[in-house]
Amino acid sequence: MSSSPSSHYLSCQGREIHYVEWGSEHAETVIAWHGLARTARDMDELARHLSTRYRVIAPDTLGRGLSQWSPDPDREYCLAFYVKLATALVDQLGLQQFHWVGTSMGGAIGTLAAATSLRGRIRRLVLNDNGPELAAAAIERIRSYAGQPAAFDTVSELEQYFRQVYKPYGWLSDAQWRLLTESSVRRLPDGRVTPQYDPAMVRQFTQHPRDYDLWEAWDSLDLPVLCLRGEDSDLLLAETAEAMRQRGPRAVVATIAGCGHAPALNVPAQFALVERFLEAA
C-alpha cells in the first residue's frame, strides 16, 4: 500500500507539467484533476484512499501549482489546450485506458477529452460539481476572486482567507486546511504570500467565453458518468444536473449534503461514492 505520493515532471506540448503519483505498484489508473484555481494536492485524501487499489495521477494544470506558467496565456489557458496537455501526459505515461475524476475545471477537461482525443480511453468519468452548463453568476463570482488573488503578510492570514473562500467545500479538518494552504502558496517579491497560480489563467473567460458550454460534447459521450453535486452549489444548478441524467450518457447524480461548490473529496462518504462507481467497471 502506498501511503505517500511521489512528485514528477514531464514536458507536454512544450510545457513542463508537474504531477503527483500515488499507488505506483498498481496497473489500473485514475487521473485526478483539480479545479480552476487549485492544485494537484487537493486530491491527496481521495488519492491516498484509492491508492490501495489504483495508481492515481494528479496533475497540476498549466499555470497552477508547480507546473509551468504559460508564455501564451490567451491561447493556452483554455480547455482545448488543457486536453492536449492531458493527452500528452497519458501518452507519455503509457496509459491506454484509465478512469478520470475531475473537480470543477478538471471535470470539464475530462468531459471534453472523453469526447475528443481521449474518446474510448477514459473508461469511467467522475465529475465533481461540474457539468456541461455552468451558472453565469457563479462563474463571475469565481472570476472576481481568482483574477485578482489576495495577498497577505503571513501564511496564517492566507489560511483564514482560504477557509472563507472555500467554505462551500464542506468540512475539512484543521490539518486539511493547513495542507490546502501550504500546498498552494507562493511568496511575492514584496514578501507577501498569495495563492499558487498565474492570475492570467482567468483570461480563459474573456478569450474563450463559451469554453464551458459543453452540451455538444456531453451528448456525444457513451461512457458511464457519475456526477457529484454539492447540495448548495451555485455553479452546477439542480436543473442542469437533472438534464445530465436525461441526456447524453445519462449520468448517475449524487447530491452531497453540507457542500456547495465543490465537495472536497476528503471524507469517507465521498470516497465510497467514487470507489463504488469505479469498481463497477
Side-chain angles (χ1 to χ4, degrees), residues 89-164:
L89 180 72
V90 297
D91 283 350
Q92 289 187 67
L93 292 174
L95 301 176
Q96 295 306 310
Q97 290 203 318
F98 43 88
H99 306 300
W100 186 291
V101 178
T103 292
S104 193
M105 178 195 71
I109 297 169
T111 296
L112 186 59
T116 56
S117 60
L118 296 180
R119 178 176 289 276
R121 293 173 67 180
I122 298 177
R123 295 175 57 199
R124 288 184 167 246
L125 175 63
V126 179
L127 303 179
N128 183 26
D129 214 63
N130 176 262
E133 181 180 336
L134 305 178
I139 290 177
E140 189 53 41
R141 172 181 63 79
I142 294 167
R143 225 180 113 188
S144 68
Y145 74 75
Q148 297 180 312
F152 302 92
D153 291 331
T154 68
V155 174
S156 296
E157 289 173 290
L158 180 62
E159 180 179 326
Q160 290 306 310
Y161 168 77
F162 281 147
R163 283 175 179 254
Q164 177 183 357

Side-chain angles (χ1 to χ4, degrees), residues 200-254:
M201 59 88 175
V202 298
R203 294 189 198 175
Q204 177 181 20
F205 297 105
T206 55
Q207 299 301 311
H208 308 272
R210 296 185 59 83
D211 227 14
Y212 288 90
D213 296 345
L214 293 174
W215 280 119
E216 183 177 354
W218 176 261
D219 288 336
S220 78
L221 296 181
D222 58 358
L223 77 168
V225 180
L226 170 66
C227 174
L228 305 176
R229 179 181 179 269
E231 182 179 34
D232 302 315
S233 177
D234 64 343
L235 190 75
L236 179 61
L237 301 182
E239 53 265 37
T240 304
E242 181 57 32
M244 292 167 69
R245 294 181 196 262
Q246 305 296 330
R247 293 177 55 172
R250 298 180 182 271
V252 174
V253 178

